[in-house]
Amino acid sequence: MQNFAESHQLSVMCSSYSSNVDVFDTGKYTAKLLRVESESESYTHNNNFPPPPKSLLIATPLEGGDFPLLLFLHGYLLYNSFYSQLIQHVASHGFIVIAPQLYTVAGPDTSDEIHSAAAITNWLSEGLCKFLPPNVRPNLSKLALAGHSRGGKTAFALALRKLNITTNLKFSALIGVDPVDGMDKGKQTPPPVLTYVPNSFDFDMAVMVIGSGLGEVKRNPLFPPCAPKGVNHENFFNECKKPAWYFVAKDYGHSDMLDDDTKGIRGKATNCLCKNGESRKPMRRFVGGVIVAFLKAYLHDDNEDLLTIRDRHVSLPVEIKFDSFL
């Protein structure tokens, strides 16, 4: 573990640690979920209020103020609604979280998802504020990008400008929540993200990778693990340059940051196909908490909570299997 002052260039350094960090608990803001239909949905809309390219689930504070943004991309064949509790947790700490439904059916190629994520990013400046509560203002200069599983791969691909795709807004932070780049090394979904060259990702932003200790464990011998070794969180972090953060939760699985109750066939599949921990709540609190701490550090220049988590000056909701900091 390297010294933080040597390896991180945050603009504000804290001289003391808080012994009462609350990033793992609900924040001080009242968070509300909003649903915004896409331009392809069959309904009448005012041309002065352009709908988004894809339907959105937005978690936002209700209290007035200027808030940073997090664009959060869902996992393979999952619904954005499965992350309702997670994104509300983040929003309760003073962030606006935009969770698009990138697709309902998808093949192995992620190109369409990358294009859709870029289109949604470009829509934010012209359309988002019209759908938010009164006096809630998005701070478009403070924008982070995150994704879970295949959505994590898509987030990394967009940040790496794969397919020569660019956005009119700049991302300031990137988060991969148990990201997965295919079925196995050599069986990556196109376009591949991992190159297996250490520290090769060319980012101009801070990165955090969150992994699950059980993601690479098979639940059923007939199906592969949900986060196979060789294309999972470990490989993503190995290709990151500093500043980069890495946390792996020991006894929790690939889907344990989802809502407690994920309905329907796809929701039941998250319990049947992936090796999971005993309960989702601890992992969801942990993922939500470290996301909040990371966003506060790199969007608010307030690294106190992130340092406190790193140095274990707070009780964590889960046991950590491994962590590292570049």
Side-chain angles (χ1 to χ4, degrees), residues 36-74:
V36 180
E37 295 180 317
S38 71
E39 59 190 2
S40 64
E41 299 288 341
S42 56
Y43 73 107
T44 303
H45 65 269
N46 188 325
N47 289 332
N48 294 323
F49 298 82
K54 295 287 182 178
S55 297
L56 306 177
L57 185 63
I58 300 174
T60 177
L62 286 181
E63 294 83 353
D66 297 312
F67 300 103
L69 308 177
L70 174 65
L71 178 62
F72 188 92
L73 310 180
H74 62 82

Side-chain angles (χ1 to χ4, degrees), residues 57-314:
L57 185 63
I58 300 174
T60 177
L62 286 181
E63 294 83 353
D66 297 312
F67 300 103
L69 308 177
L70 174 65
L71 178 62
F72 188 92
L73 310 180
H74 62 82
Y76 184 54
L77 297 181
L78 300 181
Y79 293 119
N80 54 3
S81 60
F82 290 175
Y83 302 87
S84 294
Q85 290 173 285
L86 176 63
I87 65 174
Q88 284 183 95
H89 179 103
V90 176
S92 74
H93 287 270
F95 299 92
I96 300 169
V97 187
I98 302 99
Q101 186 65 47
L102 295 176
Y103 56 85
T104 53
V105 178
D109 195 310
T110 58
S111 297
D112 286 346
E113 290 137 73
I114 302 169
H115 281 285
S116 294
I120 293 161
T121 304
N122 293 335
W123 170 84
L124 295 175
S125 58
E126 62 175 339
L128 176 62
C129 63
K130 307 297 193 303
F131 296 96
L132 295 175
N135 300 319
V136 171
R137 298 174 296 274
N139 187 338
L140 298 171
S141 66
K142 294 183 176 183
L143 172 64
L145 175 63
H148 168 233
S149 190
R150 174 158 154 161
K153 170 208 171 84
T154 303
F156 271 71
L158 181 58
L160 289 167
R161 300 179 180 86
K162 294 288 184 179
L163 308 178
N164 294 316
I165 295 174
T166 58
T167 59
N168 58 18
L169 294 176
K170 176 180 171 59
F171 295 107
S172 299
L174 174 65
I175 303 168
V177 179
D178 222 20
V180 179
D181 192 15
M183 299 295 292
D184 199 352
K185 187 175 181 180
K187 297 181 180 179
Q188 296 161 257
T189 50
V193 169
L194 296 170
T195 65
Y196 302 97
V197 177
N199 310 123
S200 59
F201 285 154
D202 184 20
F203 294 131
D204 57 356
M205 69 189 85
V207 185
M208 180 171 68
V209 177
I210 305 168
S212 64
L214 301 180
E216 59 190 40
V217 179
K218 284 187 176 182
R219 180 183 178 92
N220 186 312
L222 298 178
F223 296 98
C226 288
K229 199 169 183 63
V231 287
N232 67 13
H233 53 86
E234 180 180 5
N235 308 95
F236 276 83
F237 179 71
N238 285 342
E239 297 194 32
C240 291
K241 297 178 181 178
K242 63 182 182 183
W245 297 77
Y246 184 36
F247 298 98
V248 181
K250 181 174 181 285
D251 297 316
Y252 293 87
H254 186 64
S255 300
D256 282 337
M257 69 293 299
L258 301 181
D259 289 357
D260 287 327
D261 185 13
T262 47
K263 300 181 184 300
I265 295 176
R266 297 189 188 192
K268 289 181 172 59
T270 64
N271 289 303
C272 299
L273 298 180
C274 298
K275 181 71 173 177
N276 297 318
E278 293 184 1
S279 169
R280 287 179 171 177
K281 184 177 180 179
M283 181 62 165
R284 189 172 58 246
R285 286 184 64 219
F286 176 71
V287 172
V290 293
I291 287 176
V292 169
F294 181 75
L295 295 180
K296 288 175 67 176
Y298 290 98
L299 299 186
H300 280 316
D301 292 332
D302 176 5
N303 56 31
E304 184 174 3
D305 289 330
L306 195 55
L307 288 171
T308 304
I309 293 169
R310 183 199 69 174
D311 294 340
R312 305 294 193 275
H313 290 178
V314 63

